[in-house]
């Protein structure tokens, strides 16, 4: 470790260069002023390495300074490498510019600089470089860019060194910001110090700080990189610059130094020609500097521009400044936001959740974000459906991380979703925060913008954790975000709040249900290990019935805790019945925490069209529903259905399953079905179900036509409006859909039967059966066959009855029940012979030939009997021109000849079948 005297000189030089007092440096570093004073006076005390690192972080000194390898004067001013992003991207070493290569390679470095040491995933880099169409070699190209940049920026260090300037782990990269002099870091540091000076009642020092910060800018950030022009990080940086100019103008007004800020205000007004606040401050600054004519000219230009482009008049802030100019009133310098007194340290977090368990991966992510908060405002949105444990996770994490934020923790329930009460307006939330911070505005009529600016000024330079619980929208959250580094903001919401990710770079942490293991931990923590371990299997059944939803698990556990004589197996049995499940998951003395009530808050927040879609989706029988099926249910266009489904996904009432398909959480589905029974008439539910079954029938028929070209199809009427079947573009597409929808197709037959639609029952069974018979249909299809057969007979449709019998026979054949298959085929053959249906007769003969042989392989005469059926089928097919059936008969005949060892005849049959198949396509 270097001597204390040398440390003292380094600290003093860099503190003065940054324009800091000893007290300000101590406050920023979280140290006592005595430690800083001792260092600067060359006393013999030796501060701990932790204190030295705090000073190094604030002053921009590298880790080598702490270890004693640096010399007096080392640090930002003497750094070997300087990177500049506040203008065109530049890199300098020892006074010489470093060429950085092609545009995409430079863009990678620029983006890493904007992250200031935070890890950046490779996918984000690829998205920035190529958007939605990355080349196949995108990953290798990014790796190559990083490798070249390492060599250019740090040629003396091996590229794979642990301390390489561009670090990497897994698929993420970062810039070791402490090893370079970055103008962005200097800008943020100077602006933060200026914030604190103004808050402490020293507007002159604040003006100096803002002037230093803004003097680092050489143009638009990364102005030479079009790839990054609209990137959220660049947009955020532009806003930081604008905010600094506005606050510089506020400080200059308080200090009476209006002319000092004119250049910056004019430039900002030119960049943001419709920003009324900036123009109002420019008008005031010009008038206060003695140029009233120019101030009035600014007003006239703005008024004309607003009228031409937006068709509006100037707002109250500009209008007020204009009136004061006309009256030649000299603006009174604004008072600083709050006096230079010690601010209180709020501790507003609600109590931690007792028995919290699980979510270890999410807690690790939040801990990592807390580490990053030292260099930037970090915002994390924890989103998920009602009852998934968003607040519990955020509160638990906040308590664990509280010591990292010594200046306090703020909390507000924004009531975005809740019983009866209106959502909290940002103005009210800000007033509450400012009261807690000891800086409540003396003027009750302060508007949202003023309160936001005051709030951010108070938080400047402070290490705060802000928990915004139960947010309804991005607009409700955005004014409550701090403006300077040092703060971690946790937001919980049932919506995704994508706007915060797009504009503020918020990290999204979407919560799903717990895993089975995590659910067991919750039950064990709530019930106690003795009771849990006595019935672990019943506990697992309870967890499954609760859908692994934390709120439902805790309610079930509380239910058991109140009834110590109740066995876990008894409750598990009660929960199995869907209609009773939500009734059991209630808390007697807290109706608001009941699962049904929590879901209702989300439901009541939906627009009528979205709520209707939510209800109708519960009528879908399968685990997953597609947008096209949703459109049929709601009698909507596919575009409208996609939009409504997207809203439900954003509200976490529906979750993506695979691309294009969505699913309910089990308990949410039960609640949606309750809503459908309560808010939809029986006739409306029946009509929606009929549309859905019709859609499935027409869609599986479209798959059938693609998968079995030339087969004998069932004639169907034109689909009704808003029932648009899928248009399959390939054989593989049709197969994938049929495989994925097998359970839904089986269930659709049951729905049609429940509606009394006998015609649709047997047709859906036959068409779906043909395409699914080779996909391991199982006993479910055989059970539904009796339903389909009865429906065809009730309808008096003998052709339908024969088709169902053939389908049943083919299922029996696939599952090895050949004797039963033969019986079904013989019944179908007799029906079609009675009807004089030659096409049907051919199909039945083919099936009989196959089943006859398969039922007794090796049995004497089985070959000849099968050949007899196949020849008859071939002759009839040739007679009526049924090429598809004729080709099938040829294939079957060739297989029998091959099995008999008559290979010449088999070869001839297969050649003819091949030619017929090619002719059919």
């Amino acid at each position: 470790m270097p001597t204390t005297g040398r440390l003292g000189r380094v600290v003093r030089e860099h503190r003065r260069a940054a324009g800091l007092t000893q007290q300000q440096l101590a406050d920023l570093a979280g140290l006592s002023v005595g430690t800083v004073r001792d260092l600067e006076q060359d006393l013999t005390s030796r501060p701990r390495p932790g204190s030295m690192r705090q000073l190094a972080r604030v002053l921009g000194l590298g880790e080598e300074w702490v270890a004693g390898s640096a010399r007096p004067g080392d640090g930002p001013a003497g750094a070997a490498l300087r990177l500049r992003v506040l203008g065109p991207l530049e890199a300098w070493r020892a006074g010489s510019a470093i060429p950085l290569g092609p545009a995409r390679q430079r863009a990678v470095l620029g983006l890493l600089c904007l992250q200031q040491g935070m890890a950046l995933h490779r996918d984000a880099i690829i998205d920035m470089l190529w958007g939605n169409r990355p080349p196949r070699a995108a990953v290798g190209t990014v790796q190559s860019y990083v490798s070249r940049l390492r060599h250019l920026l740090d040629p003396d260090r091996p590229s794979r060194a642990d301390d390489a300037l561009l670090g990497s782990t897994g698929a993420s990269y970062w810039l070791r910001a402490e090893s370079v002099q970055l103008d962005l870091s200097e800008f943020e540091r100077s602006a933060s110090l200026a914030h604190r000076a103004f808050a402490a009642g020293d507007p002159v020092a604040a003006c100096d700080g803002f002037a230093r910060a803004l003097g680092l800018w050489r143009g638009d950030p990364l102005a030479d990189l079009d790839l990054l022009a609209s990137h959220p990080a660049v947009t955020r940086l532009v806003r930081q610059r604008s905010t600094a100019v506005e606050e510089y103008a506020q400080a200059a007004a308080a200090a009476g130094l209006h002319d000092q800020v004119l250049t910056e205000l004019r430039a900002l007004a030119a960049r943001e020609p419709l920003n009324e606040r900036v123009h109002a401050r420019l008008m005031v600054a010009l008038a206060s500097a003695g140029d009233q004519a120019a101030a009035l000219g600014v007003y006239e230009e703005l008024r004309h521009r607003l009228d031409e482009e937006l068709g509006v008049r100037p707002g109250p802030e500009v209008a007020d400044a204009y009136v004061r100019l006309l009256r030649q009133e000299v603006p009174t310098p604004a008072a600083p936001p709050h006096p230079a007194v010690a601010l209180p340290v709020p501790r507003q977090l609600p109590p931690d959740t007792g028995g919290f368990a699980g979510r270890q991966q999410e807690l690790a992510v939040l801990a990592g974000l807390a580490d990053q908060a030292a260099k930037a405002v970090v915002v994390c949105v924890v989103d998920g459906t009602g009852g998934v444990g968003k607040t519990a996770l955020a509160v638990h994490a906040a308590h664990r991380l509280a010591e990292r934020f010594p200046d306090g923790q703020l909390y507000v329930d924004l009531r975005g979703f809740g019983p009866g009460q209106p959502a909290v307006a940002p103005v009210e939330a800000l007033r509450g925060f400012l009261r807690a911070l000891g800086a409540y505005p003396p003027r009750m009529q302060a508007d949202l913008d003023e309160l936001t600016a005051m709030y951010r000024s108070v938080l400047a330079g402070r290490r705060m954790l802000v928990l915004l619980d139960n947010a309804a929208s991005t607009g409700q959250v955005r004014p409550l975000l701090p403006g300077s580094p040092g703060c971690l903001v946790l937001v919980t919401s049932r919506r995704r709040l994508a706007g915060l990710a797009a504009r503020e770079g918020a990290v999204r942490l979407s919560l799903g249900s717990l895993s089975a293991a995590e659910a067991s931990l919750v039950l064990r923590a709530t019930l106690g290990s003795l009771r849990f371990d006595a019935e672990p299997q019943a506990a697992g059944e309870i967890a499954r019935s609760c859908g692994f939803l934390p709120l439902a698990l805790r309610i079930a556990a509380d239910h058991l805790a109140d009834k110590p004589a109740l066995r876990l197996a008894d409750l598990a049995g009660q929960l199995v019945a869907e209609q009773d499940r939500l009734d059991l998951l209630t808390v007697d003395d807290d109706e608001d925490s009941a699962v049904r009530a929590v879901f209702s808050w989300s439901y009541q927040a939906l627009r009528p069209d979205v709520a209707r879609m939510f209800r109708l989706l519960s009528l879908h029988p399968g685990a997953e529903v597609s947008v096209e099926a949703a459109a049929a249910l709601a009698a909507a266009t596919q575009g409208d259905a996609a939009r409504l489904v997207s809203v439900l996904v954003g509200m976490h009432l529906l979750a993506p399953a695979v691309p294009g398909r969505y699913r309910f959480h089990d308990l949410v589905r039960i609640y949606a079905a309750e809503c459908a029974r309560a808010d939809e008439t029986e006739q409306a539910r029946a009509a929606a179900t009929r549309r859905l079954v019709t859609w499935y029938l027409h869609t599986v028929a479209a798959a059938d036509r693609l998968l079995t070209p030339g087969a004998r199809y069932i004639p169907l009427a034109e689909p009704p409006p808003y029932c648009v079947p899928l248009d399959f573009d390939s054989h593989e597409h049709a197969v994938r859909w049929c495989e994925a929808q097998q359970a839904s197709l089986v269930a659709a037959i049951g729905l049609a039967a429940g509606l009394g639609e006998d015609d649709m029952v047997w047709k859906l069974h036959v068409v779906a059966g043909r395409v699914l018979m080779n996909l391991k249909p199982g006993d479910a299809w055989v059970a539904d066959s009796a339903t389909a057969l009865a429906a065809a007979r009730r309808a008096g449709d003998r052709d339908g009855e024969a088709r169902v019998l053939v389908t049943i026979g083919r299922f029996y054949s696939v599952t090895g029940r050949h004797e039963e298959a033969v019986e079904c085929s013989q019944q179908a053959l007799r029906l079609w012979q009675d009807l004089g249906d030659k096409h049907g007769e051919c199909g039945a003969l083919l099936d009989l030939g196959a089943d006859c042989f398969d039922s007794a392989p090796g049995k004497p005469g089985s070959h000849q009997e099968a050949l007899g059926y196949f020849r008859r089928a071939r002759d009839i097919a040739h007679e009526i021109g049924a090429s598809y059936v004729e080709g099938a008969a040829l294939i079957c005949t060739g297989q029998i000849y091959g099995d008999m060892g008559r290979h010449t005849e088999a070869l001839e049959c297969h050649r003819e079948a091949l030619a017929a198949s090619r002719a059919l396509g």
Side-chain angles (χ1 to χ4, degrees), residues 853-876:
F853 177 72
D854 290 338
S855 63
K859 177 182 175 182
S862 61
H863 288 112
Q864 293 300 329
E865 187 177 5
L867 280 173
Y869 285 124
F870 292 146
R871 286 175 183 144
R872 286 171 59 192
R874 178 184 176 184
D875 292 343
I876 296 173

Side-chain angles (χ1 to χ4, degrees), residues 211-228:
R212 279 197 304 274
L214 294 166
L216 296 167
W217 286 78
R218 298 169 289 112
D220 292 334
L222 299 171
D224 57 329
L225 296 173
D226 293 340
L227 284 167
L228 289 170

Side-chain angles (χ1 to χ4, degrees), residues 678-731:
D679 298 337
E680 296 285 342
T681 66
E682 183 177 354
Q683 293 81 1
R685 296 197 303 272
T689 304
R690 190 173 290 105
R691 290 191 297 269
L692 178 69
V693 173
T694 303
W695 179 82
Y696 269 115
L697 174 59
H698 281 272
T699 298
V700 76
D704 181 34
R705 286 191 293 273
L706 187 63
L707 297 176
T708 56
R712 187 178 181 226
Y713 308 121
I714 295 176
L716 299 176
E718 285 294 317
Y722 298 119
C723 177
V724 182
L726 290 179
D727 182 15
F728 298 103
D729 54 15
S730 68
H731 183 281

Side-chain angles (χ1 to χ4, degrees), residues 339-413:
V341 296
L343 297 178
V345 178
R347 307 288 185 190
Q348 295 187 329
L349 294 178
D352 197 0
T353 304
F356 185 92
R359 303 293 193 197
Q360 294 305 306
Q361 183 175 353
E362 290 83 357
L363 289 170
V365 170
L366 293 174
L369 294 177
D371 293 337
Q372 298 175 13
K375 296 182 179 180
V377 176
V378 175
V379 182
C380 179
V381 177
V382 181
D383 57 58
T385 191
V388 81
K390 303 179 294 295
T391 298
L393 171 65
V395 170
H396 184 69
H399 277 282
R400 291 179 55 169
L401 300 172
E403 63 180 16
R404 304 195 196 182
F405 299 93
D407 293 321
Q409 301 87 44
L410 297 170
Y411 171 85
V412 63
D413 180 358

